[in-house]
């Protein structure tokens, strides 16, 4: 009886090992398949649910391809705007800001960082009159810093006084929607960009992929 029991245990162990090897082989083939790799190249997330012993995998789109001219911005997206004297930040719906307006939006990797504070932001501060002369009704600065940091940056830099709105995309929802989210250390940052949107539709897009200065206000003005 003991011998038969040991034989049964060995067979069971071999079966489990074979099953595990089969699952591992199938999973490896799936992960290395071209369709799956193409899926990974399009920013999305996989979630797995276990129900009644079965596994269900679903895909949730989190990020589009990089924004381009002709795209409509995510008008229902809600950003945060910090308030003076450390008051509670308020929700700002992007569509409400853009409706019926020609708006310049520029995104930076981080508030108070050297390139953003010394070049990108100042270029838009000094260009406010020229932008308005070109028909731009509003200028918005976005970053994934929290609303308190964005408010402090706007106040200390003179940007808020110049009329620029400083909005927090702390969950990187806008950065992801634009295809510009960057995994940087402990937080997701936004790649540097500038764009012009007319009633929520992108009419001009400026990337920093070649030169950061391509996103600065003088280059934006030259295109208007």
């Amino acid at each position: 009886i003991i011998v038969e029991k040991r034989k049964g245990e060995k067979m069971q162990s071999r079966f489990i090992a074979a099953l595990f090897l089969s699952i591992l082989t199938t999973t490896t083939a799936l992960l290395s398949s071209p369709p799956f790799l193409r899926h990974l190249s399009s920013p999305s997330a996989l979630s797995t649910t276990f129900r009644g012993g079965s596994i269900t995998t679903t895909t949730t789109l989190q990020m589009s391809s990089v924004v381009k001219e002709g795209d409509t911005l995510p008008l229902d997206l809600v950003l945060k705007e910090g308030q003076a004297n450390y008051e509670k930040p308020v929700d700002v719906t992007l569509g409400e800001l853009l409706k019926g307006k020609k708006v310049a939006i520029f995104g930076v990797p981080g508030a108070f960082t050297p390139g953003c504070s010394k070049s990108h932001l100042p270029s838009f501060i000094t260009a406010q009159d020229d932008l308005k002369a070109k028909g731009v009704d509003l200028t918005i600065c976005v970053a994934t810093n929290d609303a308190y940091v964005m408010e402090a940056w706007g106040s200390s830099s003179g940007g808020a006084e110049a009329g620029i709105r400083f909005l927090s995309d702390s969950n990187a929802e806008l950065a992801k929607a634009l295809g510009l989210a960057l995994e940087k250390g402990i937080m997701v940052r936004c790649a540097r960009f500038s764009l012009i949107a007319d009633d929520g539709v992108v009419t001009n897009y400026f990337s920093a992929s070649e030169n950061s200065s391509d996103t600065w206000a003088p280059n934006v003005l030259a295109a208007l």
Side-chain angles (χ1 to χ4, degrees), residues 48-61:
T48 303
T49 305
F50 295 88
R51 290 179 181 174
S54 63
I55 302 176
T56 303
T57 302
T58 58
T59 302
T60 303
L61 186 65

Side-chain angles (χ1 to χ4, degrees), residues 73-78 92-101 199-200:
L73 295 176
L75 303 180
D76 58 347
L77 193 146
V78 178
V92 178
T93 303
L94 190 60
E96 293 177 0
L97 285 180
L98 305 182
K99 186 177 180 180
K101 298 186 183 73
D199 198 23

Side-chain angles (χ1 to χ4, degrees), residues 165-193:
R165 301 280 293 272
F166 287 77
L167 304 182
S168 168
D169 180 29
S170 58
N171 294 323
E173 292 179 281
L174 179 60
K176 291 174 182 178
L178 299 178
L180 297 172
L182 300 173
E183 298 287 346
K184 294 286 186 180
I186 61 173
M187 66 183 291
V188 179
R189 294 187 181 272
C190 180
R192 190 181 307 282
F193 77 92

Side-chain angles (χ1 to χ4, degrees), residues 60-171:
T60 303
L61 186 65
Q62 291 188 326
M63 192 189 311
S64 67
S65 57
V66 176
V67 63
K68 61 184 182 301
E69 293 172 6
D71 287 349
T72 298
L73 295 176
L75 303 180
D76 58 347
L77 193 146
V78 178
L79 301 172
K80 293 283 188 180
E81 186 170 30
Q83 304 298 299
N85 300 317
Y86 307 105
E87 294 293 326
K88 183 180 178 180
V90 299
D91 290 343
V92 178
T93 303
L94 190 60
E96 293 177 0
L97 285 180
L98 305 182
K99 186 177 180 180
K101 298 186 183 73
K102 188 173 184 178
V103 179
I105 303 175
F106 67 99
V108 298
F112 292 105
T113 55
C116 307
S117 297
K118 292 181 178 180
S119 303
H120 202 171
L121 173 57
S123 76
F124 276 92
I125 293 175
T126 58
Q128 284 303 291
D129 289 339
D130 292 332
L131 286 167
K132 290 175 182 176
K134 294 280 189 177
V136 174
D137 301 298
L138 175 66
T139 300
I140 299 171
C141 174
V142 295
T144 58
N145 299 95
D146 66 53
Y148 295 101
V149 172
M150 291 299 287
E151 192 280 329
W153 193 37
S155 297
S156 62
S157 65
E161 185 178 357
I164 298 173
R165 301 280 293 272
F166 287 77
L167 304 182
S168 168
D169 180 29
S170 58
N171 294 323

